[in-house]
Amino acid sequence: MRIGALSARTGVPVATIKYYVREGLLAGGERTGHNQVSYGEAHVRRLRLVRSMVETGGLPIATVREVLTEIEDPRRDLDSALGVASRALSSHRVPDDAPDDRHVETALAIVRRRGWERVPHEHGYIRALADVVARLEFFGISDLAELEDRYARAAEQVAEADIRLLMRRADRDEILETMVVGTVLGDALFEILRRLAQVEVSGREFKGPEAKPSERDER
Amino acid sequence: MRIGALSARTGVPVATIKYYVREGLLAGGERTGHNQVSYGEAHVRRLRLVRSMVETGGLPIATVREVLTEIEDPRRDLDSALGVASRALSSHRVPDDAPDDRHVETALAIVRRRGWERVPHEHGYIRALADVVARLEFFGISDLAELEDRYARAAEQVAEADIRLLMRRADRDEILETMVVGTVLGDALFEILRRLAQVEVSGREFKGPEAKPSERDER
């Protein structure tokens, strides 16, 4: 298809498509004649992948390129490609400066209470967790441990579904694409479902069982 | 304390503090003499709140100002302040253009299966959910309904903890602050715990029970 059709199919403006090609996020079309370039289904799929990272994930172009470069490097074994890509997708969560030991200890305690023995203690995500714990603590969120354990339990249930999804995929490209899509869209999916559930639960708690649908968030 | 001490206490550069004051995100200090302005604990707390929204939540200054204006408007009743602030905190998730009916129907089906009767069908979060569902569908994520229900169940558990936290707070300001902090930091908390759980679960699934800590994401 021509670039106009590709734009219509994906809802991505032609100028943006050309920009992605220049930035190396999308392969150029196939030259089919004088001034004629043709794009295929692979372009549609890649474009949707890039848009999910940019629009839903809010990731900067540099990060998107980093992820795509990783999952396309044939010299990388799958395991390492998964690791590096997943870290790139999460880099915005890992603080540059080391959190203090007390909060790292709290973070490790959460992991220990869930029995997550396979998480390396020096993992970047532990630093990220310690950073959030420190911020929560400051605001005197009561029963923080109870809250954290509730979140950790829920996160494990979600992660089991995530990994099962990956294990169902057969070839390398599918697995890598599913990981990227699942990471970015999964974050968004949970975030929105959490808010919807908050509307439901607060309606239940504050308005009683007989309540009409809460219009709180409609105002 | 002087602005230098406020900066040291919070780790926020003096120039940034002055910028927040100019932008109306932080009240100016109290003038205690010629060229002397003094800041108190309320400034420390407010500064941490703003930083949580900006650094952890990645929210634009305009959104932060919108949220703070809402929770500080004394004419607003608590319920409505909670609603408007929570919507502002989630505005980046709600797509401008309406998703197509098929995906809205899928979104409503998820809500129905969980028995969330108090969520208005025309809610912005339903549009947001439909948008993510559409993106997931495109990539042919298999057993999408199973995945969505797993996420929804986990989200409800988390939301119950969130609301319980709010209900423990006594006065209006505390409730509103906890809602803002809980929304922004709660998203980050879950996102990180999900990734940690993925490391654990994938280690379990791919490496077997005897495995050493997965170093996947350490590469």
Side-chain angles (χ1 to χ4, degrees):
Chain A
M1 72 195 92
R2 302 293 194 77
I3 194 164
L6 178 62
S7 168
R9 267 284 296 283
T10 56
V12 181
V14 168
T16 308
I17 296 176
K18 289 180 170 172
Y19 168 68
Y20 289 158
V21 172
R22 279 200 309 278
E23 290 293 316
L25 306 183
L26 181 73
E30 186 194 350
R31 188 158 298 284
T32 54
H34 179 57
N35 283 343
Q36 288 200 8
V37 182
S38 154
Y39 298 83
E41 288 309 310
H43 290 91
V44 174
R45 199 175 179 91
R46 165 54 60 96
L47 210 40
R48 294 251 168 95
L49 183 62
V50 169
R51 293 304 270 183
S52 291
M53 287 194 266
V54 172
E55 292 181 341
T56 310
L59 298 174
I61 294 296
T63 304
V64 174
R65 191 193 294 102
E66 189 184 347
V67 171
L68 295 174
T69 311
E70 277 310 321
I71 65 180
E72 278 170 347
D73 182 348
R75 293 158 308 174
R76 268 200 183 282
D77 62 83
L78 175 61
D79 201 40
S80 130
L82 279 170
V84 182
S86 132
R87 280 184 73 196
L89 287 170
S90 315
S91 46
H92 62 289
R93 285 289 175 209
V94 180
D96 305 330
D97 39 4
D100 64 64
D101 298 349
R102 192 167 60 78
H103 296 125
V104 171
E105 190 32 58
T106 309
L108 290 173
I110 299 168
V111 168
R112 226 178 286 115
R113 286 199 298 271
R114 282 289 340 137
W116 294 344
E117 298 160 355
R118 289 169 186 78
V119 178
H121 288 193
E122 64 290 350
H123 202 296
Y125 298 160
I126 296 288
R127 286 218 312 286
L129 182 54
D131 180 65
V132 177
V133 163
R135 294 177 191 268
L136 281 167
E137 245 185 36
F138 172 81
F139 290 99
I141 303 282
S142 55
D143 298 327
L144 200 48
E146 177 197 323
L147 185 82
E148 290 156 348
D149 291 348
R150 181 70 87 106
Y151 269 71
R153 205 162 37 246
E156 190 170 338
Q157 290 168 18
V158 161
E160 280 162 5
D162 293 334
I163 300 302
R164 198 171 307 134
L165 203 68
L166 274 192
M167 295 177 81
R168 285 214 197 87
R169 295 302 172 111
D171 71 62
R172 172 198 168 91
D173 291 353
E174 268 190 7
I175 294 174
L176 287 164
E177 185 192 70
T178 304
M179 187 281 282
V180 174
V181 170
T183 300
V184 173
L185 296 183
D187 285 339
L189 180 62
F190 187 86
E191 206 177 296
I192 297 158
L193 286 169
R194 177 187 171 219
R195 283 157 175 63
L196 282 165
Q198 286 173 340
V199 173
E200 168 69 21
V201 174
S202 60
R204 220 185 277 159
E205 298 293 339
F206 291 116
K207 307 236 169 57
E210 297 311 316
K212 304 198 322 307
S214 160
E215 278 144 32
R216 161 176 297 173
D217 292 48
E218 284 308 288
R219 298 203 191 135
Chain B
M1 71 195 93
R2 302 293 196 76
I3 195 164
L6 179 62
S7 168
R9 269 283 296 283
T10 57
V12 182
V14 169
T16 308
I17 296 176
K18 290 179 169 170
Y19 167 68
Y20 289 158
V21 172
R22 279 200 309 278
E23 290 293 317
L25 306 183
L26 182 73
E30 188 194 350
R31 188 157 298 284
T32 54
H34 180 57
N35 283 342
Q36 285 200 10
V37 180
S38 155
Y39 297 83
E41 288 309 310
H43 289 91
V44 174
R45 199 175 179 92
R46 165 55 59 96
L47 210 40
R48 293 249 168 97
L49 183 62
V50 169
R51 291 305 270 182
S52 291
M53 287 193 266
V54 172
E55 291 181 342
T56 309
L59 298 174
I61 294 296
T63 305
V64 174
R65 190 192 295 104
E66 189 184 348
V67 171
L68 295 175
T69 312
E70 277 309 321
I71 66 179
E72 277 169 347
D73 183 347
R75 292 157 308 173
R76 268 201 183 280
D77 62 83
L78 175 61
D79 200 41
S80 132
L82 279 170
V84 182
S86 132
R87 280 182 74 194
L89 287 171
S90 313
S91 45
H92 62 290
R93 285 289 173 210
V94 180
D96 305 329
D97 39 5
D100 63 64
D101 298 349
R102 193 167 59 80
H103 295 124
V104 171
E105 190 31 59
T106 309
L108 290 173
I110 299 169
V111 169
R112 225 178 287 116
R113 286 198 299 270
R114 282 296 330 144
W116 292 346
E117 300 160 355
R118 290 170 185 76
V119 178
H121 289 192
E122 64 290 351
H123 202 296
Y125 297 161
I126 296 288
R127 287 217 314 284
L129 182 54
D131 180 65
V132 177
V133 162
R135 294 176 191 268
L136 280 167
E137 247 185 33
F138 173 80
F139 290 100
I141 303 282
S142 55
D143 299 327
L144 200 49
E146 178 198 321
L147 185 83
E148 289 156 348
D149 292 347
R150 180 72 86 106
Y151 270 69
R153 206 161 36 246
E156 189 169 338
Q157 290 167 18
V158 161
E160 279 162 6
D162 293 334
I163 300 301
R164 199 171 306 135
L165 203 67
L166 274 191
M167 295 176 81
R168 284 215 199 86
R169 294 304 172 110
D171 71 62
R172 171 199 169 91
D173 291 354
E174 268 190 9
I175 294 175
L176 287 165
E177 185 193 70
T178 303
M179 187 279 283
V180 173
V181 170
T183 300
V184 173
L185 296 183
D187 285 339
L189 181 62
F190 187 86
E191 207 178 294
I192 296 157
L193 286 169
R194 178 187 171 217
R195 282 155 174 64
L196 282 165
Q198 286 172 340
V199 173
E200 168 68 22
V201 173
S202 59
R204 219 185 275 157
E205 298 293 339
F206 293 115
K207 307 235 170 58
E210 296 309 319
K212 307 200 320 304
S214 159
E215 279 145 30
R216 163 175 297 175
D217 291 47
E218 283 309 288
R219 296 200 193 137

